[in-house]
PDB file of all heavy atoms in Angstrom:
ATOM      1  N   ARG A 182     -18.458-185.029-120.922  1.00  0.00           N
ATOM      2  CA  ARG A 182     -19.493-184.844-121.954  1.00  0.00           C
ATOM      3  C   ARG A 182     -18.961-184.060-123.147  1.00  0.00           C
ATOM      4  O   ARG A 182     -19.435-184.234-124.269  1.00  0.00           O
ATOM      5  CB  ARG A 182     -20.705-184.142-121.344  1.00  0.00           C
ATOM      6  CG  ARG A 182     -21.416-184.981-120.296  1.00  0.00           C
ATOM      7  CD  ARG A 182     -22.671-184.315-119.824  1.00  0.00           C
ATOM      8  NE  ARG A 182     -23.646-184.168-120.904  1.00  0.00           N
ATOM      9  CZ  ARG A 182     -24.816-183.586-120.755  1.00  0.00           C
ATOM     10  NH1 ARG A 182     -25.176-183.131-119.572  1.00  0.00           N
ATOM     11  NH2 ARG A 182     -25.647-183.482-121.761  1.00  0.00           N
ATOM     12  N   LYS A 183     -17.962-183.228-122.916  1.00  0.00           N
ATOM     13  CA  LYS A 183     -17.367-182.479-124.018  1.00  0.00           C
ATOM     14  C   LYS A 183     -16.735-183.418-125.041  1.00  0.00           C
ATOM     15  O   LYS A 183     -16.541-183.054-126.190  1.00  0.00           O
ATOM     16  CB  LYS A 183     -16.309-181.513-123.461  1.00  0.00           C
ATOM     17  CG  LYS A 183     -15.680-180.616-124.504  1.00  0.00           C
ATOM     18  CD  LYS A 183     -14.624-179.713-123.894  1.00  0.00           C
ATOM     19  CE  LYS A 183     -13.917-178.908-124.995  1.00  0.00           C
ATOM     20  NZ  LYS A 183     -12.838-178.081-124.440  1.00  0.00           N
ATOM     21  N   ARG A 184     -16.415-184.626-124.592  1.00  0.00           N
ATOM     22  CA  ARG A 184     -15.757-185.611-125.451  1.00  0.00           C
ATOM     23  C   ARG A 184     -16.722-186.713-125.900  1.00  0.00           C
ATOM     24  O   ARG A 184     -16.298-187.837-126.185  1.00  0.00           O
ATOM     25  CB  ARG A 184     -14.555-186.206-124.718  1.00  0.00           C
ATOM     26  CG  ARG A 184     -13.425-185.198-124.561  1.00  0.00           C
ATOM     27  CD  ARG A 184     -12.367-185.632-123.563  1.00  0.00           C
ATOM     28  NE  ARG A 184     -11.214-184.742-123.601  1.00  0.00           N
ATOM     29  CZ  ARG A 184     -11.186-183.533-123.035  1.00  0.00           C
ATOM     30  NH1 ARG A 184     -12.246-183.080-122.376  1.00  0.00           N
ATOM     31  NH2 ARG A 184     -10.102-182.773-123.122  1.00  0.00           N
ATOM     32  N   ASP A 185     -18.003-186.403-125.970  1.00  0.00           N
ATOM     33  CA  ASP A 185     -18.999-187.403-126.378  1.00  0.00           C
ATOM     34  C   ASP A 185     -18.657-188.029-127.726  1.00  0.00           C
ATOM     35  O   ASP A 185     -18.776-189.239-127.919  1.00  0.00           O
ATOM     36  CB  ASP A 185     -20.400-186.763-126.446  1.00  0.00           C
ATOM     37  CG  ASP A 185     -21.053-186.679-125.081  1.00  0.00           C
ATOM     38  OD1 ASP A 185     -20.535-187.305-124.142  1.00  0.00           O
ATOM     39  OD2 ASP A 185     -22.087-185.983-124.955  1.00  0.00           O
ATOM     40  N   ASP A 186     -18.244-187.189-128.704  1.00  0.00           N
ATOM     41  CA  ASP A 186     -17.934-187.704-130.035  1.00  0.00           C
ATOM     42  C   ASP A 186     -16.758-188.668-129.993  1.00  0.00           C
ATOM     43  O   ASP A 186     -16.767-189.717-130.654  1.00  0.00           O
ATOM     44  CB  ASP A 186     -17.637-186.546-131.002  1.00  0.00           C
ATOM     45  CG  ASP A 186     -18.873-185.709-131.302  1.00  0.00           C
ATOM     46  OD1 ASP A 186     -19.989-186.184-130.989  1.00  0.00           O
ATOM     47  OD2 ASP A 186     -18.715-184.592-131.829  1.00  0.00           O
ATOM     48  N   GLN A 187     -15.726-188.324-129.234  1.00  0.00           N
ATOM     49  CA  GLN A 187     -14.558-189.193-129.125  1.00  0.00           C
ATOM     50  C   GLN A 187     -14.926-190.512-128.444  1.00  0.00           C
ATOM     51  O   GLN A 187     -14.440-191.579-128.830  1.00  0.00           O
ATOM     52  CB  GLN A 187     -13.448-188.488-128.331  1.00  0.00           C
ATOM     53  CG  GLN A 187     -12.840-187.290-129.028  1.00  0.00           C
ATOM     54  CD  GLN A 187     -11.913-186.522-128.111  1.00  0.00           C
ATOM     55  OE1 GLN A 187     -12.307-185.557-127.486  1.00  0.00           O
ATOM     56  NE2 GLN A 187     -10.675-186.957-128.043  1.00  0.00           N
ATOM     57  N   ILE A 188     -15.768-190.422-127.426  1.00  0.00           N
ATOM     58  CA  ILE A 188     -16.190-191.634-126.707  1.00  0.00           C
ATOM     59  C   ILE A 188     -16.999-192.542-127.638  1.00  0.00           C
ATOM     60  O   ILE A 188     -16.784-193.760-127.681  1.00  0.00           O
ATOM     61  CB  ILE A 188     -17.008-191.244-125.458  1.00  0.00           C
ATOM     62  CG1 ILE A 188     -16.102-190.532-124.445  1.00  0.00           C
ATOM     63  CG2 ILE A 188     -17.641-192.486-124.832  1.00  0.00           C
ATOM     64  CD1 ILE A 188     -16.863-189.897-123.297  1.00  0.00           C
ATOM     65  N   ALA A 189     -17.903-191.920-128.412  1.00  0.00           N
ATOM     66  CA  ALA A 189     -18.722-192.703-129.338  1.00  0.00           C
ATOM     67  C   ALA A 189     -17.851-193.362-130.404  1.00  0.00           C
ATOM     68  O   ALA A 189     -18.061-194.534-130.768  1.00  0.00           O
ATOM     69  CB  ALA A 189     -19.773-191.805-129.990  1.00  0.00           C
ATOM     70  N   ALA A 190     -16.853-192.625-130.919  1.00  0.00           N
ATOM     71  CA  ALA A 190     -15.957-193.183-131.931  1.00  0.00           C
ATOM     72  C   ALA A 190     -15.156-194.347-131.364  1.00  0.00           C
ATOM     73  O   ALA A 190     -14.967-195.381-132.033  1.00  0.00           O
ATOM     74  CB  ALA A 190     -15.030-192.096-132.457  1.00  0.00           C
ATOM     75  N   TYR A 191     -14.693-194.193-130.131  1.00  0.00           N
ATOM     76  CA  TYR A 191     -13.939-195.276-129.489  1.00  0.00           C
ATOM     77  C   TYR A 191     -14.813-196.515-129.319  1.00  0.00           C
ATOM     78  O   TYR A 191     -14.387-197.645-129.601  1.00  0.00           O
ATOM     79  CB  TYR A 191     -13.408-194.819-128.131  1.00  0.00           C
ATOM     80  CG  TYR A 191     -12.780-195.947-127.355  1.00  0.00           C
ATOM     81  CD1 TYR A 191     -11.458-196.315-127.575  1.00  0.00           C
ATOM     82  CD2 TYR A 191     -13.531-196.690-126.422  1.00  0.00           C
ATOM     83  CE1 TYR A 191     -10.884-197.371-126.890  1.00  0.00           C
ATOM     84  CE2 TYR A 191     -12.968-197.741-125.734  1.00  0.00           C
ATOM     85  CZ  TYR A 191     -11.647-198.081-125.973  1.00  0.00           C
ATOM     86  OH  TYR A 191     -11.097-199.144-125.287  1.00  0.00           O
ATOM     87  N   GLN A 192     -16.048-196.294-128.864  1.00  0.00           N
ATOM     88  CA  GLN A 192     -16.948-197.426-128.650  1.00  0.00           C
ATOM     89  C   GLN A 192     -17.258-198.140-129.969  1.00  0.00           C
ATOM     90  O   GLN A 192     -17.326-199.377-130.010  1.00  0.00           O
ATOM     91  CB  GLN A 192     -18.247-196.956-127.986  1.00  0.00           C
ATOM     92  CG  GLN A 192     -18.066-196.544-126.535  1.00  0.00           C
ATOM     93  CD  GLN A 192     -19.340-195.999-125.919  1.00  0.00           C
ATOM     94  OE1 GLN A 192     -20.134-195.345-126.596  1.00  0.00           O
ATOM     95  NE2 GLN A 192     -19.530-196.265-124.641  1.00  0.00           N
ATOM     96  N   ALA A 193     -17.428-197.356-131.058  1.00  0.00           N
ATOM     97  CA  ALA A 193     -17.708-197.977-132.366  1.00  0.00           C
ATOM     98  C   ALA A 193     -16.534-198.833-132.817  1.00  0.00           C
ATOM     99  O   ALA A 193     -16.714-199.959-133.305  1.00  0.00           O
ATOM    100  CB  ALA A 193     -18.014-196.891-133.399  1.00  0.00           C
ATOM    101  N   ALA A 194     -15.301-198.297-132.651  1.00  0.00           N
ATOM    102  CA  ALA A 194     -14.112-199.052-133.045  1.00  0.00           C
ATOM    103  C   ALA A 194     -13.930-200.274-132.157  1.00  0.00           C
ATOM    104  O   ALA A 194     -13.567-201.362-132.619  1.00  0.00           O
ATOM    105  CB  ALA A 194     -12.883-198.146-132.986  1.00  0.00           C
ATOM    106  N   ASP A 195     -14.203-200.075-130.873  1.00  0.00           N
ATOM    107  CA  ASP A 195     -14.026-201.184-129.929  1.00  0.00           C
ATOM    108  C   ASP A 195     -15.053-202.286-130.178  1.00  0.00           C
ATOM    109  O   ASP A 195     -14.760-203.473-129.990  1.00  0.00           O
ATOM    110  CB  ASP A 195     -14.157-200.656-128.496  1.00  0.00           C
ATOM    111  CG  ASP A 195     -13.715-201.676-127.466  1.00  0.00           C
ATOM    112  OD1 ASP A 195     -12.594-202.220-127.614  1.00  0.00           O
ATOM    113  OD2 ASP A 195     -14.500-201.954-126.526  1.00  0.00           O
ATOM    114  N   ARG A 196     -16.243-201.889-130.615  1.00  0.00           N
ATOM    115  CA  ARG A 196     -17.283-202.885-130.919  1.00  0.00           C
ATOM    116  C   ARG A 196     -16.833-203.792-132.064  1.00  0.00           C
ATOM    117  O   ARG A 196     -17.102-204.998-132.042  1.00  0.00           O
ATOM    118  CB  ARG A 196     -18.594-202.199-131.275  1.00  0.00           C
ATOM    119  CG  ARG A 196     -19.756-203.168-131.528  1.00  0.00           C
ATOM    120  CD  ARG A 196     -20.986-202.398-131.967  1.00  0.00           C
ATOM    121  NE  ARG A 196     -21.542-201.607-130.884  1.00  0.00           N
ATOM    122  CZ  ARG A 196     -22.395-202.074-129.967  1.00  0.00           C
ATOM    123  NH1 ARG A 196     -22.800-203.338-130.031  1.00  0.00           N
ATOM    124  NH2 ARG A 196     -22.866-201.297-129.023  1.00  0.00           N
ATOM    125  N   LEU A 197     -16.140-203.211-133.042  1.00  0.00           N
ATOM    126  CA  LEU A 197     -15.629-204.012-134.152  1.00  0.00           C
ATOM    127  C   LEU A 197     -14.494-204.924-133.685  1.00  0.00           C
ATOM    128  O   LEU A 197     -14.354-206.059-134.145  1.00  0.00           O
ATOM    129  CB  LEU A 197     -15.126-203.098-135.277  1.00  0.00           C
ATOM    130  CG  LEU A 197     -16.207-202.267-135.981  1.00  0.00           C
ATOM    131  CD1 LEU A 197     -15.563-201.311-136.977  1.00  0.00           C
ATOM    132  CD2 LEU A 197     -17.211-203.179-136.680  1.00  0.00           C
ATOM    133  N   ARG A 198     -13.667-204.416-132.783  1.00  0.00           N
ATOM    134  CA  ARG A 198     -12.502-205.176-132.323  1.00  0.00           C
ATOM    135  C   ARG A 198     -12.882-206.271-131.322  1.00  0.00           C
ATOM    136  O   ARG A 198     -12.310-207.349-131.312  1.00  0.00           O
ATOM    137  CB  ARG A 198     -11.490-204.203-131.691  1.00  0.00           C
ATOM    138  CG  ARG A 198     -10.165-204.842-131.317  1.00  0.00           C
ATOM    139  CD  ARG A 198      -9.141-203.783-130.900  1.00  0.00           C
ATOM    140  NE  ARG A 198      -9.577-203.006-129.737  1.00  0.00           N
ATOM    141  CZ  ARG A 198      -9.902-201.719-129.778  1.00  0.00           C
ATOM    142  NH1 ARG A 198      -9.847-201.063-130.920  1.00  0.00           N
ATOM    143  NH2 ARG A 198     -10.284-201.083-128.697  1.00  0.00           N
ATOM    144  N   ARG A 199     -13.869-205.987-130.480  1.00  0.00           N
ATOM    145  CA  ARG A 199     -14.248-206.948-129.428  1.00  0.00           C
ATOM    146  C   ARG A 199     -15.772-207.078-129.371  1.00  0.00           C
ATOM    147  O   ARG A 199     -16.403-206.716-128.385  1.00  0.00           O
ATOM    148  CB  ARG A 199     -13.730-206.474-128.066  1.00  0.00           C
ATOM    149  CG  ARG A 199     -12.215-206.281-127.981  1.00  0.00           C
ATOM    150  CD  ARG A 199     -11.799-205.940-126.563  1.00  0.00           C
ATOM    151  NE  ARG A 199     -12.520-204.777-126.042  1.00  0.00           N
ATOM    152  CZ  ARG A 199     -12.652-204.482-124.744  1.00  0.00           C
ATOM    153  NH1 ARG A 199     -12.148-205.309-123.846  1.00  0.00           N
ATOM    154  NH2 ARG A 199     -13.294-203.399-124.355  1.00  0.00           N
ATOM    155  N   PRO A 200     -16.400-207.631-130.421  1.00  0.00           N
ATOM    156  CA  PRO A 200     -17.880-207.692-130.445  1.00  0.00           C
ATOM    157  C   PRO A 200     -18.459-208.530-129.318  1.00  0.00           C
ATOM    158  O   PRO A 200     -19.581-208.265-128.866  1.00  0.00           O
ATOM    159  CB  PRO A 200     -18.169-208.311-131.820  1.00  0.00           C
ATOM    160  CG  PRO A 200     -16.913-209.019-132.202  1.00  0.00           C
ATOM    161  CD  PRO A 200     -15.796-208.201-131.641  1.00  0.00           C
ATOM    162  N   TRP A 201     -17.687-209.526-128.863  1.00  0.00           N
ATOM    163  CA  TRP A 201     -18.201-210.394-127.799  1.00  0.00           C
ATOM    164  C   TRP A 201     -18.494-209.626-126.512  1.00  0.00           C
ATOM    165  O   TRP A 201     -19.387-209.988-125.744  1.00  0.00           O
ATOM    166  CB  TRP A 201     -17.207-211.529-127.525  1.00  0.00           C
ATOM    167  CG  TRP A 201     -15.806-211.054-127.210  1.00  0.00           C
ATOM    168  CD1 TRP A 201     -14.804-210.817-128.083  1.00  0.00           C
ATOM    169  CD2 TRP A 201     -15.297-210.754-125.909  1.00  0.00           C
ATOM    170  NE1 TRP A 201     -13.673-210.382-127.432  1.00  0.00           N
ATOM    171  CE2 TRP A 201     -13.952-210.340-126.091  1.00  0.00           C
ATOM    172  CE3 TRP A 201     -15.826-210.789-124.618  1.00  0.00           C
ATOM    173  CZ2 TRP A 201     -13.145-209.977-125.016  1.00  0.00           C
ATOM    174  CZ3 TRP A 201     -15.012-210.440-123.556  1.00  0.00           C
ATOM    175  CH2 TRP A 201     -13.690-210.022-123.771  1.00  0.00           C
ATOM    176  N   VAL A 202     -17.746-208.534-126.270  1.00  0.00           N
ATOM    177  CA  VAL A 202     -18.003-207.738-125.065  1.00  0.00           C
ATOM    178  C   VAL A 202     -19.402-207.147-125.122  1.00  0.00           C
ATOM    179  O   VAL A 202     -20.172-207.189-124.146  1.00  0.00           O
ATOM    180  CB  VAL A 202     -16.956-206.613-124.923  1.00  0.00           C
ATOM    181  CG1 VAL A 202     -17.348-205.658-123.789  1.00  0.00           C
ATOM    182  CG2 VAL A 202     -15.575-207.204-124.692  1.00  0.00           C
ATOM    183  N   TYR A 203     -19.757-206.619-126.298  1.00  0.00           N
ATOM    184  CA  TYR A 203     -21.052-205.949-126.437  1.00  0.00           C
ATOM    185  C   TYR A 203     -22.194-206.970-126.514  1.00  0.00           C
ATOM    186  O   TYR A 203     -23.321-206.683-126.106  1.00  0.00           O
ATOM    187  CB  TYR A 203     -21.013-205.028-127.664  1.00  0.00           C
ATOM    188  CG  TYR A 203     -20.005-203.915-127.456  1.00  0.00           C
ATOM    189  CD1 TYR A 203     -18.660-204.109-127.798  1.00  0.00           C
ATOM    190  CD2 TYR A 203     -20.378-202.707-126.870  1.00  0.00           C
ATOM    191  CE1 TYR A 203     -17.717-203.121-127.566  1.00  0.00           C
ATOM    192  CE2 TYR A 203     -19.439-201.717-126.647  1.00  0.00           C
ATOM    193  CZ  TYR A 203     -18.112-201.922-126.999  1.00  0.00           C
ATOM    194  OH  TYR A 203     -17.194-200.943-126.757  1.00  0.00           O
ATOM    195  N   ASP A 204     -21.899-208.183-127.008  1.00  0.00           N
ATOM    196  CA  ASP A 204     -22.905-209.240-126.998  1.00  0.00           C
ATOM    197  C   ASP A 204     -23.277-209.597-125.569  1.00  0.00           C
ATOM    198  O   ASP A 204     -24.448-209.786-125.229  1.00  0.00           O
ATOM    199  CB  ASP A 204     -22.372-210.481-127.732  1.00  0.00           C
ATOM    200  CG  ASP A 204     -22.245-210.231-129.237  1.00  0.00           C
ATOM    201  OD1 ASP A 204     -22.868-209.265-129.717  1.00  0.00           O
ATOM    202  OD2 ASP A 204     -21.509-210.988-129.894  1.00  0.00           O
ATOM    203  N   ILE A 205     -22.239-209.677-124.708  1.00  0.00           N
ATOM    204  CA  ILE A 205     -22.485-210.001-123.293  1.00  0.00           C
ATOM    205  C   ILE A 205     -23.323-208.910-122.642  1.00  0.00           C
ATOM    206  O   ILE A 205     -24.283-209.177-121.910  1.00  0.00           O
ATOM    207  CB  ILE A 205     -21.144-210.175-122.543  1.00  0.00           C
ATOM    208  CG1 ILE A 205     -20.434-211.425-123.053  1.00  0.00           C
ATOM    209  CG2 ILE A 205     -21.377-210.242-121.038  1.00  0.00           C
ATOM    210  CD1 ILE A 205     -19.036-211.592-122.494  1.00  0.00           C
TER     211      ILE A 205
END
Side-chain angles (χ1 to χ4, degrees):
R182 294 186 63 182
K183 184 181 175 183
R184 290 166 171 78
D185 278 348
D186 292 346
Q187 293 171 265
I188 293 170
Y191 173 84
Q192 289 176 325
D195 191 51
R196 183 184 290 275
L197 294 175
R198 187 171 60 248
R199 301 185 305 160
W201 55 271
V202 171
Y203 295 87
D204 291 342
I205 292 173

